Amino acid sequence: MMIKNIDKTCNITTGKLDANKAVSDGDYPFFTCAQLPDKIDSFAFDDDVVLVAGNNANGNFHVSRFKGKFNAYQRTYVLTAKKGEDIDYVYYSLKLELKRLRERSQGSQTKFLTMPILSSIVINDTEYSDQVAISSILSRIDKKIELNNKINKQLEAITKLIYDYWFVQFDFPDENGKPYKSFGGKMVFNEDLNREIPYGWKVQDFGINNEIRRGNLITSDTIKNGNVKLVSAGIKSSHFHDQANRSANVITISSSGANAGYIDFWREPIFASDCITVQATSIVETILAFQFLKMTQNHIYRKASGSAQPHVYPSDLSNLKYLLPPKNVIDLFERKVIASNDLIGCQNQENDKLEELRDWLLPMLMNGQVTVGETS
């Protein structure tokens, strides 16, 4: 099979901005070398592109697909397909080749993807129709993953909306099914929170009813092959482990570094590494704790960024003042959200299987070991 350099298939340029140009309420995606884009208030590109991170501490150069208006960091490469080339085929080819590049250079001190290195990457010289046929199979899988993620975000948004109405505005259903505060439910002033709360609700330290633990700090040589997600710095890493050290339905908070204070919720068992984990005695109470922590995330961020090296400690969480509703309200909330939580978990598991299938098909299709006709 003939091959050609990537710069024969693409026009390659870079962004022009410093990474600190990101703004939290921007209208456009801002692609840096992080795994997920930030936001920015202006755009410099409006195209159908592949984006490649030019540097990464672990040599994991992220590849993204995007169509529309966006901006980019000066170390992020922006690729557009030349005439007769399929941009999706370029995307999947680069995902495969950059993974191989990382594996070949593992352990080296080179953590930068320079223009000469990127331009010299080779991909198969494939007919346009075959490029489209191959990329369409892989993109169908990715579109299903994307659809599952969109549904999950909507379900999570509904849970947050219910939480805001019930536990922030205090309009949970009263004994007659009416919004409690709006229909004259009894309120009492609480000095710890400096506000009125519903009669019968308690305020206590967050650490009393929630187990707060540090993750296991492990080095790369102790990471074993397996199918358990390894969560480092509060987000999924590119590594896996052969056993879980946290059960399903657990909260993670990044404890240090650039992601200090980042909060996520994991519905499957994980191996928690460089992060703090939080879990209550029941799933619904853990969901309540997650919503509370997300609501106080800005406070956690500010506390973490108050030092030269941002850190979040278990004591920063355990001493937070936590509003605890009575059991009957918790039970009502559980009936509203537990099915959504279970569905999100099922769709996350489906996504894992789809990603595994895609990653198995990718080299097989690109190397010609499986042809499009054989997969139909």
Side-chain angles (χ1 to χ4, degrees):
M1 185 176 290
M2 300 290 291
I3 60 174
K4 57 186 174 184
N5 285 12
I6 194 75
D7 62 357
K8 301 300 182 184
T9 69
C10 295
N11 301 302
I12 306 176
T13 186
T14 64
K16 305 298 181 186
L17 300 179
D18 292 333
N20 60 12
K21 295 298 183 181
V23 294
S24 59
D25 57 348
D27 295 323
Y28 307 101
F30 179 40
F31 290 91
T32 64
C33 292
Q35 186 173 359
L36 300 175
D38 289 320
K39 292 288 187 178
I40 200 165
D41 54 11
S42 62
F43 70 93
F45 301 88
D46 185 4
D47 216 329
D48 192 9
V49 303
V50 171
L51 299 117
V52 183
N55 63 305
N56 183 274
N58 298 316
N60 186 16
F61 305 112
H62 305 294
V63 187
S64 305
R65 276 286 281 119
F66 187 78
K67 184 177 183 179
K69 297 179 174 67
F70 67 96
N71 222 319
Y73 167 54
Q74 60 191 357
R75 291 292 300 159
T76 297
Y77 296 103
V78 182
L79 288 69
T80 54
K82 292 183 178 180
K83 186 177 180 179
E85 305 289 344
D86 177 48
I87 190 65
D88 284 322
Y89 184 81
V90 171
Y91 167 69
Y92 289 113
S93 295
L94 270 176
K95 284 194 72 169
L96 180 61
E97 294 306 317
L98 285 172
K99 180 182 178 182
R100 289 171 174 169
L101 176 66
R102 182 173 69 250
E103 289 169 350
R104 288 196 301 267
S105 62
Q106 196 164 11
S108 71
Q109 297 302 308
T110 303
K111 304 303 180 186
F112 297 96
L113 184 64
T114 65
M115 184 68 84
I117 293 174
L118 178 61
S119 300
S120 66
I121 289 176
V122 295
I123 67 173
N124 294 334
D125 189 2
T126 306
E127 291 291 333
Y128 178 75
S129 59
D130 291 335
Q131 291 183 28
V132 173
I134 290 171
S135 66
S136 65
I137 292 172
L138 298 168
S139 63
R140 282 176 204 160
I141 298 173
D142 278 335
K143 285 176 182 176
K144 174 56 176 169
I145 294 171
E146 182 181 0
L147 176 61
N148 284 349
N149 287 334
K150 285 182 178 178
I151 294 172
N152 285 354
K153 284 183 179 180
Q154 291 172 348
L155 293 172
E156 288 167 350
I158 292 170
T159 298
K160 181 181 183 303
L161 184 65
I162 296 171
Y163 179 87
D164 289 343
Y165 272 114
W166 288 22
F167 304 105
V168 179
Q169 300 178 39
F170 304 130
D171 269 338
F172 55 92
D174 64 13
E175 62 272 13
N176 299 313
K178 303 294 184 180
Y180 181 86
K181 186 176 180 182
S182 296
F183 277 73
K186 184 177 179 181
M187 305 289 289
V188 294
F189 185 80
N190 182 270
E191 293 184 357
D192 288 328
L193 299 181
N194 195 31
R195 63 173 300 189
E196 287 189 329
I197 64 172
Y199 177 77
W201 288 40
K202 297 179 182 179
V203 176
Q204 61 186 30
D205 288 347
F206 183 73
I208 291 178
N209 279 3
N210 296 289
E211 179 192 66
I212 304 172
R213 299 167 58 191
R214 281 191 175 277
N216 294 33
L217 293 175
I218 61 175
T219 58
S220 57
D221 61 349
T222 64
I223 298 172
K224 303 172 184 177
N225 294 327
N227 56 10
V228 177
K229 294 177 183 177
L230 190 144
V231 179
S232 178
I235 59 177
K236 178 186 172 184
S237 73
S238 58
H239 300 287
F240 290 83
H241 207 274
D242 62 356
Q243 62 181 343
N245 64 359
R246 297 293 188 275
S247 60
N249 296 296
V250 65
I251 305 163
T252 60
I253 302 97
S254 177
S255 58
S256 62
N259 290 320
Y262 178 83
I263 300 169
D264 208 346
F265 189 90
W266 299 88
R267 292 169 176 85
E268 69 274 26
I270 61 169
F271 189 97
S273 178
D274 185 16
C275 58
I276 297 168
T277 61
V278 176
Q279 198 162 27
T281 54
S282 69
I283 296 172
V284 66
E285 288 176 295
T286 305
I287 295 172
L288 281 171
F290 174 68
Q291 295 296 334
F292 168 76
L293 289 173
K294 291 291 286 186
M295 187 178 66
T296 59
Q297 191 165 31
N298 287 338
H299 169 78
I300 298 170
Y301 274 143
R302 286 195 300 270
K303 200 159 190 177
S305 61
S307 61
Q309 174 66 26
H311 287 284
V312 176
Y313 300 97
S315 60
D316 295 331
L317 307 175
S318 61
N319 295 329
L320 292 171
K321 295 303 177 185
Y322 186 52
L323 183 58
L324 189 66
K327 186 178 185 303
N328 67 303
V329 178
I330 294 176
D331 290 343
L332 281 173
F333 183 69
E334 181 175 17
R335 290 199 287 271
K336 288 288 186 181
V337 305
I338 203 67
S340 293
N341 185 72
D342 291 344
L343 178 56
I344 292 170
C346 289
Q347 294 195 140
N348 285 340
Q349 290 178 4
E350 182 182 23
N351 281 356
D352 289 341
K353 295 297 183 183
L354 289 169
E355 289 175 4
E356 184 179 345
L357 173 62
R358 179 202 61 204
D359 293 344
W360 177 82
L361 278 174
L362 179 57
M364 305 283 280
L365 286 166
M366 292 300 180
N367 298 336
Q369 294 169 275
V370 172
T371 66
V372 175
E374 289 172 0
T375 61
S376 60

